[in-house]
Amino acid sequence: GEKVEQHQSTLSVREGDSAVINCTYTDTASSYFPWYKQEAGKSLHFVIDIRSNVDRKQSQRLTVLLDKKAKRFSLHITATQPEDSAIYFCAASNTNTGKLTFGDGTVLTVKP
Amino acid sequence: EAGVTQSPRYAVLQEGQAVSFWCDPISGHDTLYWYQQPRDQGPQLLVYFRDEAVIDNSQLPSDRFSAVRPKGTNSTLKIQSAKQGDTATYLCASSLTGVGNTLYFGEGSRLIVV
């Protein structure tokens, strides 16, 4: 089955700097790649996604890049703010089953 | 619009006891998921339904876990004879059918088995 790996378990940046979180996946049939944010003591909520028919998607301070050849995707956050501090989960969904597989999360800390 | 509702929020069990978790998805969402999230790990899919039908339960430990969604709306996840390894947060999520539809998660049910 699909395996999604997040290569940084923690990431610390200064407020105003950029943060990049990287993920890889194994299943070439995966076609949909969402990102979810989990703030302390709360559940997951959707932040941004990318589909396999494009290689870049931007929404305000968030950009997702997808490299299908390398089976790699990344979340870029610019001008980080303290409220960006949270656990970020990447995920991949199989085209055929729709099953969403998550990585283990990256704890992002934005220091003032 | 109401979000995904789960109950109870917390449960503490002795090994061997049983517990049921309940989920009320967003109205109109035909797909419902149960995920297990151990501490410091990502959510791991246990089972998901489209309406009342089980689509994938391959990761559900079938000897002790069961899940139903009898009318295609609310769902119950039951754990019988709980083990310490079941300690985790159980997340329910719902979505519309189709790849690429956003999953909306509930607040989760935190289970501790001692």
Side-chain angles (χ1 to χ4, degrees), chain A residues 31-32 36 38 42-44 46 51 89 93-95 97-100 102-104, chain B residues 35 37 40-43 45 48 56 58-59 91 99-103 105-107:
Chain A
S31 62
Y32 174 66
Y36 284 79
Q38 186 172 37
K42 297 188 178 180
S43 194
L44 284 78
F46 170 85
R51 298 167 200 272
F89 293 95
S93 180
N94 183 289
T95 303
T97 67
K99 183 176 171 179
L100 195 60
F102 285 85
D104 278 338
Chain B
Y35 281 87
Q37 186 179 20
D40 297 331
Q41 295 185 35
L45 184 66
Y48 78 101
D56 186 339
S58 59
Q59 302 304 310
L91 296 169
V99 177
N101 283 314
T102 301
L103 269 63
F105 284 85
E107 293 294 316

Side-chain angles (χ1 to χ4, degrees), chain B residues 35-100:
Chain B
Y35 281 87
Q36 181 191 60
Q37 186 179 20
R39 191 175 180 83
D40 297 331
Q41 295 185 35
Q44 297 158 13
L45 184 66
L46 292 174
V47 58
Y48 78 101
F49 300 84
R50 189 155 301 133
D51 298 319
E52 67 277 8
V54 173
I55 304 302
D56 186 339
N57 64 357
S58 59
Q59 302 304 310
L60 196 67
S62 58
D63 57 336
R64 297 184 301 107
F65 285 61
S66 62
V68 294
R69 193 186 184 199
K71 295 182 181 179
T73 52
N74 301 335
S75 178
T76 303
L77 174 70
K78 184 172 183 178
I79 305 174
Q80 293 180 314
S81 191
K83 299 181 178 180
Q84 287 189 359
D86 299 332
T87 293
T89 298
Y90 291 84
L91 296 169
C92 179
S94 70
S95 74
L96 295 170
T97 297
V99 177

Side-chain angles (χ1 to χ4, degrees), chain A residues 36-90:
Chain A
Y36 284 79
K37 178 180 180 182
Q38 186 172 37
E39 295 171 73
K42 297 188 178 180
S43 194
L44 284 78
H45 72 266
F46 170 85
V47 288
I48 191 170
D49 60 13
I50 190 167
R51 298 167 200 272
S52 59
N53 60 339
V54 296
D55 56 15
R56 177 191 173 96
K57 180 175 180 179
Q58 183 173 357
S59 175
Q60 298 181 320
R61 296 186 296 110
L62 304 180
T63 301
V64 181
L65 302 179
L66 174 63
D67 181 346
K68 292 190 292 292
K69 194 171 180 180
K71 296 208 271 300
R72 182 172 57 215
F73 59 115
S74 57
L75 174 66
H76 298 245
I77 307 174
T78 58
T80 53
Q81 302 166 0
E83 51 265 39
D84 294 328
S85 295
I87 306 173
Y88 288 82
F89 293 95
C90 60

Side-chain angles (χ1 to χ4, degrees), chain B residues 14-52:
Chain B
Q14 302 272 350
E15 275 198 318
Q17 290 185 310
V19 64
S20 289
F21 299 120
W22 178 83
C23 174
D24 186 7
I26 291 173
S27 178
H29 281 190
D30 52 2
T31 307
L32 184 148
Y33 308 80
W34 283 103
Y35 281 87
Q36 181 191 60
Q37 186 179 20
R39 191 175 180 83
D40 297 331
Q41 295 185 35
Q44 297 158 13
L45 184 66
L46 292 174
V47 58
Y48 78 101
F49 300 84
R50 189 155 301 133
D51 298 319
E52 67 277 8

